[in-house]
Coordinates of all heavy atoms in Angstrom, one line a residue:
Chain B
I358 N 0.7 23.5 -29.7 CA 0.5 24.6 -28.8 C 0.1 24.0 -27.4 O 0.6 24.4 -26.3 CB -0.6 25.5 -29.2 CG1 -0.4 26.0 -30.6 CG2 -0.8 26.7 -28.2 CD1 0.4 27.2 -30.8
F359 N -0.8 23.0 -27.4 CA -1.1 22.3 -26.2 C 0.2 21.7 -25.6 O 0.3 21.7 -24.4 CB -2.1 21.2 -26.4 CG -3.5 21.7 -26.6 CD1 -4.2 21.8 -27.8 CD2 -4.2 22.3 -25.5 CE1 -5.5 22.3 -28.0 CE2 -5.5 22.8 -25.6 CZ -6.1 22.8 -26.9
A360 N 1.0 21.1 -26.4 CA 2.2 20.5 -25.9 C 3.1 21.5 -25.2 O 3.6 21.3 -24.1 CB 3.0 19.8 -27.0
L361 N 3.3 22.7 -25.8 CA 4.1 23.7 -25.2 C 3.4 24.2 -23.9 O 4.1 24.4 -22.9 CB 4.3 24.9 -26.2 CG 5.1 24.5 -27.4 CD1 5.1 25.7 -28.3 CD2 6.5 24.1 -27.0
G362 N 2.1 24.3 -23.9 CA 1.4 24.6 -22.7 C 1.7 23.6 -21.6 O 1.9 24.0 -20.4
F363 N 1.6 22.4 -22.0 CA 1.9 21.3 -21.0 C 3.3 21.6 -20.3 O 3.5 21.5 -19.1 CB 1.9 19.9 -21.7 CG 2.4 18.8 -20.8 CD1 1.6 18.0 -20.1 CD2 3.8 18.6 -20.7 CE1 2.0 17.0 -19.3 CE2 4.3 17.6 -19.9 CZ 3.4 16.8 -19.2
L364 N 4.3 21.8 -21.2 CA 5.6 22.0 -20.7 C 5.7 23.1 -19.7 O 6.2 22.9 -18.6 CB 6.6 22.3 -21.8 CG 7.1 21.1 -22.6 CD1 8.1 21.6 -23.7 CD2 7.8 20.1 -21.7
G365 N 5.1 24.2 -20.0 CA 5.1 25.4 -19.1 C 4.5 25.0 -17.7 O 5.0 25.3 -16.7
L366 N 3.3 24.4 -17.8 CA 2.5 24.2 -16.6 C 3.1 23.0 -15.8 O 3.2 23.1 -14.6 CB 1.1 23.9 -16.9 CG 0.4 25.0 -17.7 CD1 -1.1 24.7 -17.9 CD2 0.5 26.3 -16.9
F367 N 3.6 22.0 -16.5 CA 4.1 20.8 -15.8 C 5.4 21.2 -15.0 O 5.6 20.8 -13.9 CB 4.4 19.7 -16.7 CG 5.0 18.5 -16.1 CD1 4.2 17.7 -15.2 CD2 6.3 18.2 -16.2 CE1 4.7 16.7 -14.6 CE2 6.9 17.1 -15.5 CZ 6.1 16.3 -14.7
V368 N 6.2 22.1 -15.6 CA 7.4 22.5 -14.9 C 7.1 23.2 -13.6 O 7.7 22.9 -12.5 CB 8.3 23.3 -15.8 CG1 9.4 24.0 -15.0 CG2 8.9 22.4 -16.9
V369 N 6.1 24.1 -13.6 CA 5.7 24.8 -12.4 C 5.2 23.8 -11.4 O 5.6 23.8 -10.2 CB 4.7 25.9 -12.7 CG1 4.2 26.5 -11.4 CG2 5.2 26.9 -13.7
G370 N 4.3 22.9 -11.8 CA 3.8 21.9 -10.9 C 4.9 21.0 -10.3 O 4.9 20.8 -9.1
G371 N 5.8 20.6 -11.1 CA 6.8 19.7 -10.6 C 7.8 20.4 -9.7 O 8.1 19.9 -8.6
L372 N 8.1 21.6 -10.0 CA 9.1 22.3 -9.1 C 8.4 22.7 -7.8 O 9.1 22.6 -6.7 CB 9.6 23.6 -9.8 CG 10.5 23.3 -11.0 CD1 11.0 24.7 -11.6 CD2 11.8 22.6 -10.5
T373 N 7.2 23.0 -7.8 CA 6.5 23.3 -6.5 C 6.4 22.0 -5.6 O 6.3 22.1 -4.4 CB 5.1 24.0 -6.7 OG1 4.4 23.2 -7.6 CG2 5.3 25.4 -7.2
G374 N 6.3 20.9 -6.3 CA 6.3 19.6 -5.6 C 7.5 19.5 -4.7 O 7.5 18.9 -3.6
L375 N 8.7 20.1 -5.1 CA 9.9 20.0 -4.3 C 9.7 20.8 -3.0 O 10.2 20.4 -2.0 CB 11.1 20.5 -5.1 CG 11.3 19.7 -6.4 CD1 12.5 20.2 -7.2 CD2 11.6 18.2 -6.0
Y376 N 9.0 21.9 -3.1 CA 8.8 22.6 -1.8 C 8.0 21.8 -0.9 O 8.2 21.8 0.4 CB 8.0 23.9 -2.1 CG 8.8 24.9 -2.9 CD1 8.9 24.9 -4.2 CD2 9.3 26.0 -2.2 CE1 9.6 25.8 -4.9 CE2 10.0 27.0 -2.9 CZ 10.2 26.9 -4.3 OH 10.9 27.8 -5.0
L377 N 7.1 21.0 -1.5 CA 6.2 20.2 -0.6 C 6.9 18.9 -0.1 O 6.6 18.4 0.9 CB 4.9 19.8 -1.3 CG 4.1 20.9 -1.8 CD1 3.0 20.5 -2.6 CD2 3.5 21.6 -0.5
A378 N 7.9 18.5 -0.9 CA 8.7 17.4 -0.5 C 9.7 17.7 0.6 O 10.3 16.8 1.2 CB 9.4 16.7 -1.7
S379 N 10.0 19.0 0.8 CA 11.0 19.4 1.8 C 10.3 19.5 3.2 O 9.2 20.1 3.3 CB 11.6 20.8 1.5 OG 12.0 20.8 0.2
L380 N 10.8 18.8 4.2 CA 10.1 18.7 5.4 C 9.7 20.1 6.0 O 8.6 20.3 6.3 CB 10.9 17.9 6.4 CG 11.0 16.4 6.1 CD1 11.9 15.8 7.2 CD2 9.7 15.8 6.0
A381 N 10.7 20.9 6.1 CA 10.4 22.2 6.8 C 9.4 23.0 6.1 O 8.5 23.6 6.7 CB 11.7 23.0 6.9
T382 N 9.5 23.2 4.7 CA 8.6 24.0 4.0 C 7.2 23.3 4.0 O 6.2 24.0 4.1 CB 9.0 24.3 2.6 OG1 9.5 23.1 2.1 CG2 10.0 25.4 2.6
D383 N 7.1 22.0 4.0 CA 5.8 21.4 3.9 C 5.0 21.6 5.2 O 3.8 21.7 5.1 CB 6.0 19.9 3.7 CG 4.6 19.3 3.4 OD1 3.9 19.7 2.5 OD2 4.2 18.4 4.2
V384 N 5.7 21.7 6.3 CA 4.9 21.9 7.6 C 4.1 23.2 7.4 O 3.0 23.3 7.9 CB 5.9 21.9 8.7 CG1 5.1 22.3 10.0 CG2 6.5 20.6 8.9
H385 N 4.8 24.2 6.8 CA 4.1 25.4 6.6 C 3.0 25.3 5.5 O 1.9 25.9 5.6 CB 5.0 26.5 6.2 CG 4.4 27.8 5.9 ND1 3.7 28.6 6.8 CD2 4.4 28.6 4.7 CE1 3.3 29.7 6.2 NE2 3.7 29.7 5.0
L386 N 3.3 24.5 4.5 CA 2.4 24.5 3.3 C 1.3 23.5 3.3 O 0.3 23.5 2.6 CB 3.2 24.4 2.0 CG 4.2 25.5 1.8 CD1 5.1 25.2 0.6 CD2 3.5 26.8 1.5
Q387 N 1.5 22.4 4.1 CA 0.6 21.3 4.2 C -0.8 21.8 4.3 O -1.2 22.6 5.1 CB 1.0 20.4 5.3 CG 0.0 19.4 5.7 CD 0.2 18.1 4.9 OE1 1.1 17.4 5.2 NE2 -0.7 17.8 4.0
A388 N -1.7 21.2 3.5 CA -3.2 21.4 3.6 C -3.5 22.9 3.4 O -4.5 23.4 4.0 CB -3.7 20.9 5.0
T389 N -2.7 23.6 2.6 CA -3.1 24.9 2.3 C -3.3 25.0 0.8 O -3.2 24.0 0.1 CB -1.9 26.0 2.5 OG1 -0.8 25.6 1.6 CG2 -1.4 25.9 3.9
Y390 N -3.7 26.2 0.3 CA -4.0 26.3 -1.1 C -2.7 26.1 -2.0 O -2.8 25.9 -3.2 CB -4.6 27.7 -1.4 CG -6.1 27.5 -1.6 CD1 -6.9 27.4 -0.4 CD2 -6.7 27.2 -2.8 CE1 -8.2 27.2 -0.5 CE2 -8.0 26.9 -2.9 CZ -8.8 26.9 -1.8 OH -10.1 26.6 -1.9
F391 N -1.5 26.1 -1.3 CA -0.3 25.8 -2.1 C -0.4 24.4 -2.7 O 0.0 24.1 -3.8 CB 0.9 26.0 -1.2 CG 2.2 26.0 -1.9 CD1 2.8 27.2 -2.3 CD2 2.9 24.8 -2.2 CE1 3.9 27.2 -3.0 CE2 4.1 24.9 -2.9 CZ 4.6 26.1 -3.4
V392 N -0.8 23.5 -1.8 CA -1.0 22.1 -2.3 C -2.0 22.0 -3.4 O -1.8 21.3 -4.4 CB -1.3 21.2 -1.1 CG1 -1.6 19.7 -1.7 CG2 -0.3 21.1 -0.1
V393 N -3.1 22.7 -3.2 CA -4.1 22.7 -4.3 C -3.5 23.2 -5.6 O -3.8 22.6 -6.6 CB -5.3 23.6 -3.8 CG1 -6.4 23.7 -4.9 CG2 -5.9 23.1 -2.5

Side-chain angles (χ1 to χ4, degrees):
Chain B
I358 308 275
F359 282 108
L361 294 177
F363 171 98
L364 278 181
L366 302 181
F367 178 72
V368 166
V369 176
L372 290 179
T373 50
L375 300 177
Y376 291 79
L377 298 173
S379 314
L380 292 181
T382 42
D383 185 62
V384 173
H385 177 62
L386 298 171
Q387 168 88 69
T389 67
Y390 262 85
F391 193 92
V392 174
V393 177

